[in-house]
Amino acid sequence: EADIYQTPRYLVIGTGKKITLECSQTMGHDKMYWYQQDPGMELHLIHYSYGVNSTEKGDLSSESTVSRIRTEHFPLTLESARPSHTSQYLCASRPSGSYEQYFGPGTRLTVT
Amino acid sequence: GENVEQHPSTLSVQEGDSAVIKCTYSDSASNYFPWYKQELGKRPQLIIDIRSNVGEKKDQRIAVTLNKTAKHFSLHITETQPEDSAVYFCAPYAAGNKLTFGGGTRVLVKP
């Protein structure tokens, strides 16, 4: 089934650890996005990508990096996790020619 | 960048009543105006959208109206039902391949 997938769904990790949040979509969309959202609150854009080998920083300053080596895959890496990174991370994608974004189920991250 | 404000931040209505949420944006180049609904613990989903060349669009019990001159658009929900309880986000689109989300409106429909 065409969808957007995120793993892990929940993650508890200690301060200073390096983590990678995975996002994959099977819809063939060119554009992909990462958002940070505290539960029920505003979505803040962290990174986005127009296509393979294209990445841009979003509006929210974040100590994270992304890569886009394959169309379907857009992982987010935190080099050194901090308690301030505790939040939900949502991945989204959309096809060229449409503005509608499709969201993944999210990864809820807790940094202790 | 785009500045987006939503009002009210919370809205409590009786089942069967109407609900209206307003979204104000700053970028006059914005040309696409969607509303997303996020139920508790779920992912945001598009429920209705409108392009800049249209003033109003309806889909069953929901509608969106746009006032480009005043730079605001509104979500209207009629005959509210308990399943309409959620957080609603506006997300106007300007240049740059990205949406700018508003702060969200928490809607509670009381039976």
Side-chain angles (χ1 to χ4, degrees), chain A residues 7 13 25 31 44 57 62 75 80 89 94-95 98 106 108:
Chain A
T7 57
I13 199 165
Q25 49 96 2
K31 297 171 177 56
H44 297 281
K57 286 186 180 293
S62 170
S80 179
Y89 292 83
R94 71 174 177 92
S98 171
R108 192 174 296 278

mmCIF file of all heavy atoms in Angstrom, chain A residues 7 13 25 31 44 57 62 75 80 89 94-95 98 106 108:
data_model
loop_
_atom_site.group_PDB
_atom_site.id
_atom_site.type_symbol
_atom_site.label_atom_id
_atom_site.label_comp_id
_atom_site.label_asym_id
_atom_site.label_seq_id
_atom_site.Cartn_x
_atom_site.Cartn_y
_atom_site.Cartn_z
ATOM 1 N N THR A 7 10.137 5.081 11.324
ATOM 2 C CA THR A 7 10.618 4.208 12.379
ATOM 3 C C THR A 7 11.780 4.871 13.100
ATOM 4 O O THR A 7 12.543 5.630 12.483
ATOM 5 C CB THR A 7 11.103 2.854 11.813
ATOM 6 O OG1 THR A 7 12.123 3.087 10.845
ATOM 7 C CG2 THR A 7 9.959 2.060 11.209
ATOM 8 N N ILE A 13 16.068 7.825 24.703
ATOM 9 C CA ILE A 13 17.515 7.762 24.544
ATOM 10 C C ILE A 13 18.178 8.744 25.496
ATOM 11 O O ILE A 13 17.566 9.729 25.920
ATOM 12 C CB ILE A 13 17.894 8.065 23.079
ATOM 13 C CG1 ILE A 13 19.290 7.577 22.757
ATOM 14 C CG2 ILE A 13 17.724 9.536 22.752
ATOM 15 C CD1 ILE A 13 19.572 7.515 21.278
ATOM 16 N N GLN A 25 8.825 6.686 1.939
ATOM 17 C CA GLN A 25 7.509 6.777 1.302
ATOM 18 C C GLN A 25 7.512 5.973 0.006
ATOM 19 O O GLN A 25 8.508 5.937 -0.704
ATOM 20 C CB GLN A 25 7.096 8.252 1.069
ATOM 21 C CG GLN A 25 8.149 9.107 0.400
ATOM 22 C CD GLN A 25 7.993 9.247 -1.091
ATOM 23 O OE1 GLN A 25 7.046 8.723 -1.703
ATOM 24 N NE2 GLN A 25 8.923 9.966 -1.708
ATOM 25 N N LYS A 31 9.057 15.664 -3.212
ATOM 26 C CA LYS A 31 9.352 16.582 -2.114
ATOM 27 C C LYS A 31 9.058 15.936 -0.769
ATOM 28 O O LYS A 31 8.012 15.314 -0.583
ATOM 29 C CB LYS A 31 8.549 17.869 -2.301
ATOM 30 C CG LYS A 31 8.975 18.590 -3.582
ATOM 31 C CD LYS A 31 8.085 19.735 -3.950
ATOM 32 C CE LYS A 31 8.621 20.453 -5.187
ATOM 33 N NZ LYS A 31 8.793 19.554 -6.346
ATOM 34 N N HIS A 44 6.677 22.812 13.263
ATOM 35 C CA HIS A 44 7.834 23.629 12.896
ATOM 36 C C HIS A 44 8.652 22.872 11.851
ATOM 37 O O HIS A 44 9.090 21.748 12.098
ATOM 38 C CB HIS A 44 8.701 23.928 14.116
ATOM 39 C CG HIS A 44 8.009 24.730 15.168
ATOM 40 N ND1 HIS A 44 7.843 26.093 15.076
ATOM 41 C CD2 HIS A 44 7.433 24.355 16.329
ATOM 42 C CE1 HIS A 44 7.204 26.540 16.144
ATOM 43 N NE2 HIS A 44 6.934 25.508 16.925
ATOM 44 N N LYS A 57 17.483 23.749 4.860
ATOM 45 C CA LYS A 57 17.079 23.950 6.249
ATOM 46 C C LYS A 57 15.744 24.677 6.293
ATOM 47 O O LYS A 57 15.452 25.534 5.455
ATOM 48 C CB LYS A 57 18.135 24.768 6.993
ATOM 49 C CG LYS A 57 19.399 23.998 7.325
ATOM 50 C CD LYS A 57 20.327 24.826 8.184
ATOM 51 C CE LYS A 57 21.596 24.086 8.529
ATOM 52 N NZ LYS A 57 21.334 22.941 9.406
ATOM 53 N N SER A 62 17.911 23.794 14.286
ATOM 54 C CA SER A 62 17.977 22.458 14.848
ATOM 55 C C SER A 62 19.363 21.881 14.643
ATOM 56 O O SER A 62 19.972 22.084 13.594
ATOM 57 C CB SER A 62 16.935 21.563 14.167
ATOM 58 O OG SER A 62 17.115 20.217 14.523
ATOM 59 N N PRO A 75 16.145 10.265 5.812
ATOM 60 C CA PRO A 75 16.436 10.115 7.237
ATOM 61 C C PRO A 75 16.901 11.419 7.885
ATOM 62 O O PRO A 75 17.545 12.259 7.251
ATOM 63 C CB PRO A 75 17.559 9.071 7.254
ATOM 64 C CG PRO A 75 18.228 9.231 5.929
ATOM 65 C CD PRO A 75 17.159 9.630 4.950
ATOM 66 N N SER A 80 23.971 14.644 18.514
ATOM 67 C CA SER A 80 24.127 14.568 19.966
ATOM 68 C C SER A 80 22.800 14.990 20.600
ATOM 69 O O SER A 80 22.501 16.177 20.698
ATOM 70 C CB SER A 80 25.267 15.488 20.423
ATOM 71 O OG SER A 80 25.415 15.433 21.828
ATOM 72 N N TYR A 89 8.428 13.978 15.966
ATOM 73 C CA TYR A 89 8.986 14.331 14.665
ATOM 74 C C TYR A 89 8.111 13.705 13.577
ATOM 75 O O TYR A 89 7.918 12.490 13.540
ATOM 76 C CB TYR A 89 10.439 13.862 14.559
ATOM 77 C CG TYR A 89 11.325 14.635 15.503
ATOM 78 C CD1 TYR A 89 11.424 14.266 16.854
ATOM 79 C CD2 TYR A 89 12.024 15.753 15.083
ATOM 80 C CE1 TYR A 89 12.208 15.000 17.737
ATOM 81 C CE2 TYR A 89 12.815 16.488 15.950
ATOM 82 C CZ TYR A 89 12.892 16.111 17.280
ATOM 83 O OH TYR A 89 13.665 16.839 18.158
ATOM 84 N N ARG A 94 5.106 15.195 -0.674
ATOM 85 C CA ARG A 94 4.084 15.588 -1.646
ATOM 86 C C ARG A 94 4.657 15.450 -3.046
ATOM 87 O O ARG A 94 5.865 15.560 -3.252
ATOM 88 C CB ARG A 94 3.584 17.016 -1.410
ATOM 89 C CG ARG A 94 4.580 18.111 -1.761
ATOM 90 C CD ARG A 94 3.902 19.474 -1.616
ATOM 91 N NE ARG A 94 4.826 20.575 -1.869
ATOM 92 C CZ ARG A 94 5.003 21.147 -3.065
ATOM 93 N NH1 ARG A 94 4.343 20.712 -4.106
ATOM 94 N NH2 ARG A 94 5.834 22.160 -3.195
ATOM 95 N N PRO A 95 3.784 15.205 -4.014
ATOM 96 C CA PRO A 95 4.269 15.093 -5.389
ATOM 97 C C PRO A 95 4.410 16.470 -6.032
ATOM 98 O O PRO A 95 3.761 17.437 -5.613
ATOM 99 C CB PRO A 95 3.155 14.296 -6.071
ATOM 100 C CG PRO A 95 1.921 14.679 -5.316
ATOM 101 C CD PRO A 95 2.355 14.911 -3.892
ATOM 102 N N SER A 98 1.312 19.133 -7.002
ATOM 103 C CA SER A 98 0.262 19.161 -5.981
ATOM 104 C C SER A 98 0.828 19.798 -4.728
ATOM 105 O O SER A 98 1.989 19.616 -4.388
ATOM 106 C CB SER A 98 -0.230 17.754 -5.671
ATOM 107 O OG SER A 98 -1.089 17.767 -4.539
ATOM 108 N N GLY A 106 4.677 9.605 12.600
ATOM 109 C CA GLY A 106 5.480 10.320 13.585
ATOM 110 C C GLY A 106 6.376 9.412 14.419
ATOM 111 O O GLY A 106 6.115 8.208 14.579
ATOM 112 N N ARG A 108 7.920 9.594 18.273
ATOM 113 C CA ARG A 108 7.916 10.334 19.539
ATOM 114 C C ARG A 108 9.237 10.070 20.232
ATOM 115 O O ARG A 108 9.521 8.939 20.625
ATOM 116 C CB ARG A 108 6.741 9.906 20.404
ATOM 117 C CG ARG A 108 6.508 10.832 21.586
ATOM 118 C CD ARG A 108 5.241 10.470 22.347
ATOM 119 N NE ARG A 108 4.039 10.631 21.531
ATOM 120 C CZ ARG A 108 3.424 11.782 21.324
ATOM 121 N NH1 ARG A 108 3.897 12.893 21.856
ATOM 122 N NH2 ARG A 108 2.337 11.827 20.593
#
